[in-house]
Amino acid sequence: MSGEQLALDIEGMLHEARVQSTPEWSGAPLHFTTDYYSPGDLDAAFEHWQFLHAHDPVQSGSRLWSRSIAVPESRQVGGHGFVLYTADLRCEPWKHAEKHEGCMCVGDLMYQAICEPCEWNAIADRENGVVEMWHDHALPGWRELPIVPARLRMLDKVGLSKAARKWIEEHYPRSMQVPGAPIITERRPFGTRHVPSRSPWGGYDLSHTAVDPERIVEGSKPLRPKASHFPAPPRSAAQAPAVGLGD
Ligand SMILES: [Zn+2]
Ligand SMILES: [Zn+2]
């Protein structure tokens, strides 16, 4: 046995002893749950799970809720809070052969939005979905907001363009120009994710697809597939035209 292996074994035994001497867990569940728990409770459960499994020979997903790294916790909006969590329920088929009962098999990355002051939560399998539900909760009426047209060349290097800001100031109701309030912007066929912190007031920049999915976007040409999106057909590979010809 190598010295390194020995050190690992000892560390594993010490860890096992620490786990044994830890009082029984009484916080949020150490498995997937749809019940409301405060962000503090969810974070503590996630940390505890990681402690318990720190020396597992095979690391696999916890299926617990953990904070979304892609979305900063936003400041309060009219007394409401917003924290976004994700839980990975994607199937781990290598687990099934021996033990099926452990598998949730929801098969998706799940999203949860939490408003702590109201002890409110919403869960969906799409990030946009929970973001919309949270706005329904915190800012009812947001669905009536004007859609900022794409022709304003929405973004420049520092964020929202001057033209877009001006348009928003003129067209948005005063009551909705408050810290944390969202805007709705017209998007191209791609790029319809709701973007946090991009409204003039630090709220969401929501895609128009949330309120008007059938909208025809002004000036938007039908997408021409780029040659590079597809594998070259094997039969005529030798004569394939150069990528991007005619663009
Ligand atoms: Zn709330
Ligand atoms: Zn499964």
Side-chain angles (χ1 to χ4, degrees):
M1 180 182 287
S2 74
E4 203 178 322
Q5 183 57 45
L6 186 64
L8 275 177
D9 288 350
I10 290 171
E11 181 47 43
M13 279 153 60
L14 290 174
H15 177 75
E16 188 57 31
R18 282 195 294 272
V19 168
Q20 294 300 334
S21 63
T22 302
E24 204 179 327
W25 179 248
S26 58
L30 297 174
H31 51 77
F32 180 73
T33 177
T34 55
D35 294 341
Y36 174 85
Y37 287 92
S38 73
D41 287 346
L42 292 180
D43 293 346
F46 185 68
E47 210 174 290
H48 190 68
W49 188 95
Q50 285 187 312
F51 160 69
L52 293 177
H53 296 272
H55 285 262
D56 285 5
V58 179
Q59 284 290 344
S60 68
S62 69
R63 304 196 185 281
L64 265 60
W65 292 105
S66 64
R67 278 175 195 253
S68 165
I69 44 165
V71 176
E73 183 171 351
S74 73
R75 61 222 90 172
Q76 303 243 317
V77 181
H80 299 280
F82 174 71
V83 193
L84 187 71
Y85 280 79
T86 60
D88 192 345
L89 299 189
R90 284 175 289 196
C91 189
E92 293 173 336
W94 57 90
K95 280 187 165 178
H96 293 199
E98 306 153 57
K99 218 166 79 172
H100 193 67
E101 70 271 22
C103 180
M104 306 281 305
C105 272
V106 175
D108 259 314
L109 202 53
M110 301 297 286
Y111 297 86
Q112 172 172 207
I114 297 178
C115 173
E116 190 170 10
C118 303
E119 302 194 354
W120 174 95
N121 71 332
I123 292 170
D125 60 3
R126 286 170 53 247
E127 181 176 355
N128 275 10
V130 288
V131 169
E132 289 159 28
M133 287 190 262
W134 181 86
H135 282 85
D136 288 337
H137 165 75
L139 292 151
W142 70 271
R143 289 173 186 273
E144 312 306 321
L145 289 173
I147 297 172
V148 187
R151 66 178 154 77
L152 292 175
R153 292 191 170 277
M154 222 73 77
L155 299 174
D156 59 24
K157 275 174 218 134
V158 290
L160 274 183
S161 70
K162 251 190 200 154
R165 284 177 180 273
K166 186 158 175 285
W167 193 95
I168 291 163
E169 215 181 289
E170 285 167 2
H171 291 79
Y172 270 50
R174 287 279 147 221
S175 61
M176 290 297 259
Q177 300 197 30
V178 294
I183 53 173
I184 306 177
T185 58
E186 195 175 54
R187 306 288 184 84
R188 302 305 184 193
F190 294 123
T192 55
R193 177 181 177 243
H194 301 330
V195 181
S197 312
R198 203 161 73 186
S199 89
W201 319 284
Y204 261 88
D205 172 355
L206 300 163
S207 164
H208 77 267
T209 50
V211 293
D212 190 3
E214 304 301 321
R215 185 182 178 95
I216 310 280
V217 178
E218 191 187 326
S220 181
K221 291 181 204 140
L223 286 174
R224 259 187 313 164
K226 281 228 165 91
S228 58
H229 284 176
F230 302 96
R235 47 190 159 69
S236 61
Q239 288 92 23
V243 171
L245 254 189
D247 271 354

